[in-house]
Amino acid sequence: MSQHVSCNECSLSPVCLPLAVAPAQLDQLDNIIHRGRPLKRGEHLFRASDNFEAVYAVRSGAIKTYVLSDQGDEQVTGFYLPGEVLGMDGISTAHHVSNAKALETATVCEIPFAQLENLSQKIPSLQHHFFSLMSNEIRADRELHMLLSKKNADDRVASLLLSLSARHQRRGLSSRVFRLPMSRYDIANYLGLAVETVSRIFTRFQQNGWLRAEGREVEILDRGKLCGHDPALEDSL
Amino acid sequence: MSQHVSCNECSLSPVCLPLAVAPAQLDQLDNIIHRGRPLKRGEHLFRASDNFEAVYAVRSGAIKTYVLSDQGDEQVTGFYLPGEVLGMDGISTAHHVSNAKALETATVCEIPFAQLENLSQKIPSLQHHFFSLMSNEIRADRELHMLLSKKNADDRVASLLLSLSARHQRRGLSSRVFRLPMSRYDIANYLGLAVETVSRIFTRFQQNGWLRAEGREVEILDRGKLCGHDPALEDSL
DNA sequence: CGGGCAGTTGAAAGTTGTCAATAGTAGTGG
DNA sequence: CCACTACTATTGACAACTTTCAACTGCCCG
């Protein structure tokens, strides 16, 4: 497997950073990007104590980010799929504040932030796109805030399933059948629930005929009913 | 009251956008800022349907942001005090996704975003500061995520009180005695609790001798014990 | 001065968490 | 290649925290 897929040849370019850069300038972006060796399941991309040097775009696999409280318990703060950018929470502090860990074998593009800032000075559309990315992150957090604050356990699980489905579709994959890259524990942790609760909800969704799940393989059988659990999502697909 | 306090003369400049701009260039920032008439309590600064034109720095008073679900119920997503910048969630969509409403009489500086982007092309430190601001917002959302996901009602209320306290101190005001700009309803909504729960917790904190509260006036009597409720905050002040 | 909203308090109900036990799965190493 | 082990997932019973419903007080603004 070549580790030197340029942005030009990367199938993710329509959904990744290159979408903000004119073809003529794509080389400039391409030149600052480092493509590292694949991460194995469980390996860290960065840790909370590391200096903040770069942001990362997922090329394959999946990454989870999490923070540790002082008591040492973990809070999963996000799941990142191919084409998505992570690591932006470190900009203001010069060191990362969260940890990033591969949920499965994953490859990432490393984008040194200082150079990205320089390039953003020259390419306004890149600057704007990066503002947009961060703005999207904030917006997603607002929705998560509502999810955690107002929605019951069923709605939370349904919402995550539909979010993953939509993000698969964005990459041209099936929005109906896909594989969850994360464990039930990670799902529970992310959604502020107990694992047992998540497990029971998966069972109930299947009993209702809304979902088929075998381990991490899921098939969405009745999107409407899953949305119905959270009508706010009715139109999202 | 003059509505034309330049950044030069503004007491908030050490904690607001100007902190990222060299004195020699401050005029350039100052020139793009609009200082509107004060907002009365309950007035909107912007609404979710509005076009996204600008971000806003609070000069006095307090603003809350909120989103409405499709069922029409409100989720308070943030409280903004003097020196804090809001409205950045609209960058990616060209229209605002949240609403911003004055909790009390408030004045704000309006910073047209297109011009801010242009200026950021010329002043690298301004671009960086703006990235930092958004990064901070994301980081705060991560902490809120943990709060809503893992902490009980007591910890959530304590955490909000201590956050407000720290933000007062940042402006050189008392971190011990201050006035809450928001209602118990807003606090409850923001923290994902029922008003009754918040009210009971205020009562209990007072019975424990940790807090004095008369309406919206609060005095923190035992910061340690409030932190103790959420040891993650022990060192924040 | 009055009405409506903000705030407080009590009792009951419900959703979710905790504890415990069991089954299934995947990675490891012989 | 298979067995072992540790982790992931599921299910049930019970407990706990928080919500909901209801009533009441007080205050602010019109």
Side-chain angles (χ1 to χ4, degrees):
Chain A
M1 180 206 299
S2 165
Q3 289 180 19
H4 297 285
V5 181
S6 72
C7 290
N8 269 317
E9 351 176 58
C10 179
S11 65
L12 291 168
S13 64
V15 297
C16 190
L17 281 183
L19 78 79
V21 181
Q25 297 173 307
L26 192 50
D27 278 351
Q28 296 181 60
L29 176 61
D30 206 66
N31 283 335
I32 69 171
I33 293 181
H34 296 223
R35 289 152 183 105
R37 63 172 176 74
L39 294 166
K40 282 201 281 277
R41 198 165 108 88
E43 267 189 287
H44 277 84
L45 177 57
F46 56 79
R47 292 174 187 271
S49 49
D50 294 347
N51 286 333
F52 170 73
E53 305 283 359
V55 298
Y56 304 87
V58 180
R59 195 135 50 92
S60 67
I63 307 276
K64 80 167 177 186
T65 53
Y66 65 96
V67 295
L68 295 174
S69 78
D70 295 340
Q71 299 95 68
D73 46 30
E74 178 176 322
Q75 173 65 55
V76 175
T77 53
F79 302 113
Y80 295 85
L81 304 183
E84 298 175 346
V85 178
L86 71 153
M88 295 176 291
D89 53 354
I91 297 176
S92 60
T93 51
H95 59 82
H96 284 288
V97 292
S98 56
N99 308 272
K101 190 180 193 176
L103 289 167
E104 55 194 21
T105 304
T107 53
V108 298
C109 297
E110 176 180 325
I111 306 148
F113 191 69
Q115 291 175 263
L116 182 63
E117 278 189 311
N118 283 338
L119 201 55
S120 293
Q121 298 282 330
K122 296 178 208 140
I123 308 177
S125 64
L126 184 60
Q127 182 192 359
H128 183 79
H129 183 65
F130 215 75
F131 280 140
S132 284
L133 274 182
M134 298 184 74
S135 168
N136 275 329
E137 195 106 350
I138 292 171
R139 198 149 44 92
D141 286 339
R142 299 289 187 263
E143 275 175 37
L144 187 61
H145 186 167
M146 161 124 28
L147 203 67
L148 296 177
S149 165
K150 292 241 187 320
K151 304 293 185 178
N152 63 24
D154 288 37
D155 289 346
R156 295 188 202 179
V157 173
S159 175
L160 178 62
L161 289 171
L162 292 169
S163 165
L164 292 169
S165 165
R167 287 148 75 187
H168 274 263
Q169 191 173 53
R170 179 163 181 263
R171 312 209 308 274
L173 306 175
S174 171
S175 66
R176 199 172 54 80
V177 185
F178 52 93
R179 182 181 169 76
L180 302 172
M182 72 293 282
S183 69
R184 302 283 194 272
Y185 283 83
D186 285 331
I187 293 174
N189 188 307
Y190 177 72
L191 295 175
L193 300 170
V195 199
E196 293 91 332
T197 305
V198 172
S199 187
R200 279 185 252 269
I201 289 170
F202 268 79
T203 303
R204 187 147 13 97
F205 281 176
Q206 290 184 82
Q207 286 166 349
N208 295 350
W210 300 349
L211 188 75
R212 200 178 54 73
E214 287 174 36
R216 296 187 176 186
E217 298 291 338
V218 298
E219 177 178 359
I220 290 174
L221 298 175
D222 191 334
R223 183 177 305 276
K225 287 284 169 44
L226 287 174
C227 289
H229 251 286
D230 184 355
L233 299 168
E234 202 92 53
D235 307 320
S236 69
L237 265 182
Chain B
M1 181 206 299
S2 166
Q3 289 180 19
H4 297 285
V5 181
S6 71
C7 290
N8 268 318
E9 350 176 57
C10 178
S11 64
L12 290 168
S13 63
V15 296
C16 190
L17 282 183
L19 76 81
V21 181
Q25 296 174 307
L26 193 51
D27 278 352
Q28 295 181 60
L29 175 62
D30 206 66
N31 283 335
I32 68 171
I33 293 180
H34 295 222
R35 291 154 181 103
R37 63 172 176 74
L39 293 166
K40 282 200 283 276
R41 199 164 106 89
E43 265 188 286
H44 277 83
L45 178 58
F46 56 80
R47 291 174 187 273
S49 49
D50 294 347
N51 286 332
F52 170 73
E53 306 282 359
V55 297
Y56 303 88
V58 180
R59 194 135 49 92
S60 67
I63 306 277
K64 79 167 178 187
T65 53
Y66 65 95
V67 294
L68 294 175
S69 78
D70 294 341
Q71 298 96 68
D73 45 31
E74 179 176 322
Q75 174 64 57
V76 175
T77 53
F79 302 113
Y80 295 85
L81 304 183
E84 300 175 345
V85 177
L86 71 154
M88 295 176 291
D89 54 353
I91 296 176
S92 60
T93 51
H95 59 82
H96 284 288
V97 292
S98 57
N99 308 271
K101 192 180 190 175
L103 288 167
E104 54 194 22
T105 304
T107 53
V108 298
C109 296
E110 175 181 326
I111 307 147
F113 191 69
Q115 289 174 263
L116 182 64
E117 277 189 313
N118 283 339
L119 201 55
S120 294
Q121 297 282 330
K122 295 178 210 142
I123 308 178
S125 64
L126 183 59
Q127 184 195 49
H128 183 80
H129 183 65
F130 215 75
F131 280 139
S132 284
L133 273 183
M134 298 184 75
S135 169
N136 276 329
E137 195 106 351
I138 292 171
R139 199 151 43 93
D141 286 339
R142 300 289 187 264
E143 276 176 37
L144 187 61
H145 186 167
M146 161 122 31
L147 203 68
L148 296 177
S149 166
K150 293 239 187 319
K151 304 293 186 179
N152 63 23
D154 288 36
D155 289 346
R156 296 187 202 179
V157 173
S159 175
L160 178 61
L161 288 171
L162 292 169
S163 164
L164 291 169
S165 165
R167 288 148 75 188
H168 273 264
Q169 190 173 53
R170 179 164 181 263
R171 310 209 310 275
L173 305 176
S174 170
S175 66
R176 201 171 52 79
V177 185
F178 52 93
R179 181 183 168 75
L180 301 172
M182 73 293 281
S183 69
R184 302 285 193 272
Y185 283 85
D186 285 331
I187 292 174
N189 187 308
Y190 177 72
L191 295 175
L193 300 170
V195 199
E196 293 91 333
T197 305
V198 171
S199 185
R200 278 185 254 269
I201 290 170
F202 268 79
T203 302
R204 189 151 7 101
F205 281 176
Q206 290 184 83
Q207 286 166 349
N208 294 349
W210 301 349
L211 188 75
R212 200 178 53 74
E214 287 175 36
R216 299 187 175 185
E217 298 292 337
V218 298
E219 177 178 359
I220 292 175
L221 298 176
D222 191 335
R223 183 177 304 276
K225 287 283 171 42
L226 288 173
C227 289
H229 252 286
D230 183 355
L233 299 169
E234 202 92 51
D235 306 321
S236 69
L237 263 185

